[in-house]
Amino acid sequence: MSVKKTKISALAIIYNEEHNIREYLDNMSFADEIIIVDSYSTDATPKIVIEEYPHVKFYQRVFDDFSSQRNYTLDLASYDWVTFFDADERVSKKGIAEIIKTIDSEPEEVAYVVKRVFFYEGRPLINNIFNADKIERIFRRSKCRYTKKLVHEKLDIHGKTGELKVAIDHYTFKTKEEFLNKRLQYSQLKAKELLDKHITPTYYHLSIRPKFRFFKYYILKLGFLNGSRGYGIARILQHDEYMRYIYLQEMQEAKDGGQAAKKILVIQQKMIGDVLVSTILCNNLKKAYPKSEIHYLIYPFTKPVVEGNPNIDKIILFESEYRDSKWKFFKFLLQTRKEKYDIVIDAYGKLESNLIVAFSRADKKIGFYKPYTSYIYTHTVNEIKQPVDNAGLAINNRLELLSALNLTIELDRKPKIFMSGEEREHGKEVLLQHGITPGTTVYMIGVLGSSKTKTYPYAYMAQLLDVIGQKPNVCLLFNYIPVQKKEAEAIYNLCSDFTKQKIRMDIVPGGVREFLSILSQCDAIIGNEGGAVNMAKAIDIPSFTIFSTWIKKEAWNSFENGKSIVSVHLKDYKPELYGDNSPKEMKPQALRLYEEFTPDLIVPLLKEYIAAN
């Protein structure tokens, strides 16, 4: 007579585990069901599970803390006996056989602990405190529940606990960077626990405890036997101990209304679109710290898009002379140092901004993680690769910089240009003076990009303009800068005589603010992706955007809704031309790819758009 096999549910909570998930799911194939709860991974994890493992029950839930996430997963299980291994843990065939045999024996124990052998940078650690731990990974869910702890959650067991003989392998972290990021995640959760306990950081917490953490692991626990890996782990654990109290300080400041943050510098030395997007940092910082002084460092030519923003107390211009003269740049660095900023946020991340951050005396220096500059900052964040919402990657990544501050406000995701009523009225007057009366459909046309590789081919653009020109009572305003006049005229000359009658080349704004005045009176902007499109979105003007063949659409197609905000990219129509390459990797072939981006691909959607807008 065969022994009855007790059914088992294999459970896991995951986030961005594309490098582990296949091996984990294959390893758990002995279970009668597999349940995965994903915290909205931004990598390929969900796709792998859904497409390659259709038998796996896949759920997604916003992560709040480990205990809640695990208890939620427990409630999804169909069977009483469960395994709850991490995605980076592996059970040997011998271990699997022991699990099945133990559960089938109908034991009086309701939970079992297992030993773990930790692997770091591909090799097991020896004589290590990590290897000394035993953890509950197999238990009856009717007898067990995770207690409410944010980090290092504990299983509350109602019954006896046994121990399995066969250890599991724990492939924790392949690199130092991966280990550091995970420890910092734990640090933030631990800081929340300390906040609830009303602990106030002191010199002891910020200096003595981190040093002792290093000494304890590296010397007392024989971490030095693991060579350079042991030293690296000790340093990360020391930093982990320090950062939990830094995070605690930040949480306490935020809880008190941000009174301690008196002066903040945001750095964004780039193009108009980037500068405009990064104003969301200033807007949210002022919202979180209303009594703070916000300074914004930008290039002079981008100043018009931030003028009038009530959330920016001072605009600092990075003049060209700072690039031309090392002495003048050094004087600028010293002047920045004298400002005594409390927080510096670097959204630019190039050499100039690296030096500005390094020279500042800020307690918090926040930037994007790069292995060769991370030591400059007190807090770094990894840029996400896939958008988390329709705001787009450019905005998503800017807001990631604020995650280092643990703000408690609801973040504002939309960049805004602040225009006065007088400016908008001026735009009306300009159109009236040129004979464009109310009731006329007015489209601003982005005929040219900022460079040849960002400009839709002239002949193709002319064909699209001929389509737009068929709309009754329509007026087309060409947007270009003075040095592009000949190129704009070349596109005009390629248009049909009928379309030429609809184009107004004589309305030339005297500057960016006047351009905004006129744009505010348009029904939409249509044309090449660039700063003008971003400005249109910031004043709530509809847009139809043609992306360059090498620009990543996901980064800049913010707030696309398929109606008033629409964009097109060659990759939408001919993804096979890109293969496994990202658009940016195809930049050297941008002009060749433009030849493939023929008007017939765009026209059907364009006709729908102009009919609705």
Side-chain angles (χ1 to χ4, degrees):
M1 182 176 178
S2 61
V3 178
K4 173 183 173 293
K5 182 181 182 299
T6 305
K7 290 188 178 295
I8 303 171
S9 297
L11 316 178
I13 58 174
I14 60 171
Y15 178 72
N16 286 355
E17 292 285 358
E18 63 181 7
H19 56 294
N20 279 320
I21 195 63
R22 289 187 180 91
E23 287 187 41
Y24 167 79
L25 293 174
D26 292 340
N27 193 212
M28 294 294 108
S29 60
F30 68 89
D32 297 281
E33 74 170 354
I34 303 175
I35 297 174
I36 298 294
V37 174
D38 173 61
S39 301
Y40 290 96
S41 293
T42 57
D43 64 3
T45 301
K47 183 179 179 182
I48 292 171
V49 177
I50 293 169
E51 294 183 1
E52 299 181 25
Y53 297 86
H55 64 287
V56 172
K57 297 178 180 178
F58 180 78
Y59 302 85
Q60 289 188 305
R61 178 179 185 268
V62 174
F63 181 86
D64 43 11
D65 59 71
F66 286 103
S67 297
S68 299
Q69 201 79 337
R70 287 186 181 276
N71 285 331
Y72 172 82
T73 309
L74 283 177
D75 292 337
L76 297 173
S78 302
Y79 309 118
D80 192 29
W81 277 102
V82 302
T83 66
F84 220 134
F85 293 103
D86 289 344
D88 57 3
E89 294 175 339
R90 301 289 175 265
V91 188
S92 65
K93 290 182 179 179
K94 190 175 179 181
I96 292 172
E98 183 184 16
I99 291 172
I100 295 173
K101 181 179 179 181
T102 300
I103 293 176
D104 278 349
S105 69
E106 298 183 0
E108 61 177 341
E109 290 84 2
V110 300
Y112 286 88
V113 298
V114 293
K115 294 179 181 178
R116 293 189 292 183
V117 176
F118 279 74
F119 283 69
Y120 181 62
E121 294 184 340
R123 291 178 291 152
L125 296 172
I126 58 174
N127 284 358
N128 196 271
I129 58 171
F130 294 119
N131 290 343
D133 83 323
K134 298 175 183 179
I135 191 163
E136 303 89 353
R137 285 293 188 246
I138 302 98
F139 54 89
R140 290 177 59 187
R141 67 188 183 96
S142 62
K143 301 292 183 180
C144 304
R145 200 75 177 170
Y146 286 96
T147 57
K148 185 66 176 179
K149 288 188 71 178
L150 300 181
V151 65
H152 301 312
E153 65 283 7
K154 183 180 179 182
L155 189 68
D156 189 13
I157 302 169
H158 298 280
K160 292 185 178 181
T161 301
E163 181 178 340
L164 298 182
K165 295 178 182 178
V166 182
I168 63 173
D169 292 334
H170 191 189
Y171 294 89
T172 46
F173 309 106
K174 293 182 174 64
T175 65
K176 290 184 178 69
E177 289 77 17
E178 190 178 343
F179 183 39
L180 174 61
N181 289 334
K182 178 61 73 173
R183 296 309 305 188
L184 290 179
Q185 181 185 3
Y186 288 153
S187 296
Q188 290 179 318
L189 293 171
K190 191 66 179 178
K192 291 180 182 178
E193 290 183 359
L194 296 173
L195 182 67
D196 293 338
K197 294 178 181 178
H198 305 290
I199 292 175
T200 301
T202 65
Y203 175 81
Y204 165 75
H205 297 104
L206 294 168
S207 182
I208 297 175
R209 280 186 66 100
K211 291 173 183 176
F212 182 73
R213 183 84 177 275
F214 176 90
F215 178 76
K216 179 181 178 181
Y217 174 78
Y218 193 63
I219 303 298
L220 299 182
K221 298 297 182 178
L222 307 181
F224 61 84
L225 293 177
N226 288 290
S228 61
R229 293 186 304 148
Y231 179 78
I233 291 173
R235 289 297 304 273
I236 289 173
L237 291 177
Q238 178 183 3
H239 188 63
D240 165 30
E241 188 75 22
Y242 170 75
M243 286 307 299
R244 69 177 58 176
Y245 293 102
I246 291 295
Y247 289 138
L248 177 58
Q249 283 183 330
E250 293 170 355
M251 291 175 189
Q252 289 173 338
E253 289 174 6
K255 190 175 181 181
D256 295 336
Q259 299 300 320
K262 296 178 181 178
K263 188 178 283 190
I264 303 172
L265 174 65
V266 177
I267 305 172
Q268 181 61 87
Q269 302 155 254
K270 212 172 181 183
M271 306 299 285
I272 280 179
D274 300 277
V275 168
L276 182 54
V277 165
S278 287
T279 59
I280 61 173
L281 297 174
C282 303
N283 299 340
N284 284 297
L285 287 166
K286 182 63 80 171
K287 183 178 179 181
Y289 308 122
K291 295 184 179 180
S292 291
E293 186 178 339
I294 311 293
H295 293 186
Y296 196 24
L297 176 58
I298 59 176
Y299 288 139
F301 71 90
T302 65
K303 182 181 176 182
V305 298
V306 301
E307 287 178 332
N309 188 324
N311 302 305
I312 300 173
D313 298 291
K314 183 178 180 180
I315 299 172
I316 302 175
L317 301 180
F318 191 89
E319 305 288 354
S320 58
E321 63 183 20
Y322 301 151
R323 281 186 164 177
D324 299 335
S325 169
K326 292 180 181 178
W327 171 242
K328 288 182 179 179
F329 180 48
F330 180 67
K331 288 174 67 177
F332 175 77
L333 292 176
L334 293 179
Q335 183 60 42
T336 303
R337 184 177 178 85
K338 290 179 182 178
E339 292 284 353
K340 296 182 180 179
Y341 291 108
D342 296 287
I343 301 171
V344 174
I345 300 179
D346 180 10
Y348 185 44
K350 297 296 176 66
L351 179 60
E352 290 168 354
S353 61
N354 294 156
L355 291 171
I356 293 167
V357 173
F359 267 75
S360 76
R361 294 179 175 179
D363 294 328
K364 299 180 184 68
K365 304 173 183 178
I366 304 169
F368 292 114
Y369 175 78
K370 294 178 181 178
Y372 48 89
T373 58
S374 60
Y375 66 93
I376 295 173
Y377 304 90
T378 59
H379 303 67
T380 58
V381 299
N382 290 307
E383 291 190 74
I384 57 178
K385 304 302 180 184
Q386 296 296 327
V388 298
D389 55 33
N390 74 336
L393 269 179
I395 290 176
N396 292 161
N397 277 314
R398 265 39 169 229
L399 294 179
E400 276 294 296
L401 291 168
L402 296 179
S403 67
L405 296 174
N406 296 300
L407 303 181
T408 57
I409 60 169
E410 182 179 351
L411 296 177
D412 184 0
R413 304 176 307 147
K414 193 174 187 299
K416 301 179 183 69
I417 292 177
F418 295 83
M419 296 180 64
S420 67
E422 290 80 2
E423 285 181 301
R424 292 178 184 273
E425 284 299 318
H426 176 68
K428 287 182 182 179
E429 291 174 8
V430 170
L431 296 184
L432 287 172
Q433 288 169 6
H434 287 82
I436 302 173
T437 58
T440 303
T441 299
V442 182
Y443 293 141
M444 184 69 72
I445 306 296
V447 287
L448 296 159
S450 58
S451 65
K452 195 171 183 180
T453 61
K454 296 182 75 174
T455 298
Y456 194 56
Y458 295 1
Y460 290 177
M461 178 61 78
Q463 291 181 51
L464 296 184
L465 293 177
D466 286 342
V467 171
I468 300 170
Q470 295 298 316
K471 181 166 181 167
N473 197 26
V474 70
C475 177
L476 311 183
L477 308 182
F478 273 20
N479 171 45
Y480 58 91
I481 57 178
V483 295
Q484 295 176 319
K485 184 177 181 180
K486 288 185 178 179
E487 289 86 347
E489 289 175 343
I491 295 173
Y492 171 84
N493 290 329
L494 290 170
C495 294
S496 68
D497 290 338
F498 181 80
T499 302
K500 288 177 182 177
Q501 296 175 28
K502 306 293 185 74
I503 297 172
R504 297 297 298 269
M505 295 279 290
D506 58 327
I507 302 178
V508 182
V512 173
R513 294 303 294 196
E514 187 170 35
F515 167 75
L516 287 167
S517 296
I518 298 170
L519 179 60
S520 71
Q521 304 307 310
C522 293
D523 292 276
I525 183 170
I526 301 174
N528 291 286
E529 184 272 333
V533 171
N534 291 295
M535 286 189 270
K537 292 177 182 179
I539 59 173
D540 299 318
I541 297 299
S543 61
F544 184 99
T545 308
I546 303 170
F547 272 90
S548 166
T549 55
W550 68 272
I551 295 295
K552 188 172 184 178
K553 178 180 175 180
E554 295 84 354
W556 292 99
N557 66 333
S558 54
F559 309 110
E560 185 156 341
N561 56 24
K563 295 179 180 179
S564 60
I565 300 179
V566 175
S567 66
V568 291
H569 194 292
L570 176 61
K571 196 173 181 180
D572 297 337
Y573 302 96
K574 298 183 178 181
E576 68 278 3
L577 295 176
Y578 292 82
D580 295 329
N581 298 312
S582 68
K584 192 169 185 178
E585 291 172 322
M586 300 293 281
K587 184 176 181 180
Q589 303 179 53
L591 298 181
R592 180 185 65 78
L593 290 172
Y594 261 136
E595 295 176 6
E596 300 283 344
F597 203 2
T598 51
D600 60 289
L601 299 175
I602 301 174
V603 166
L605 189 59
L606 179 60
K607 285 183 175 180
E608 289 181 17
Y609 185 82
I610 60 177
N613 296 278

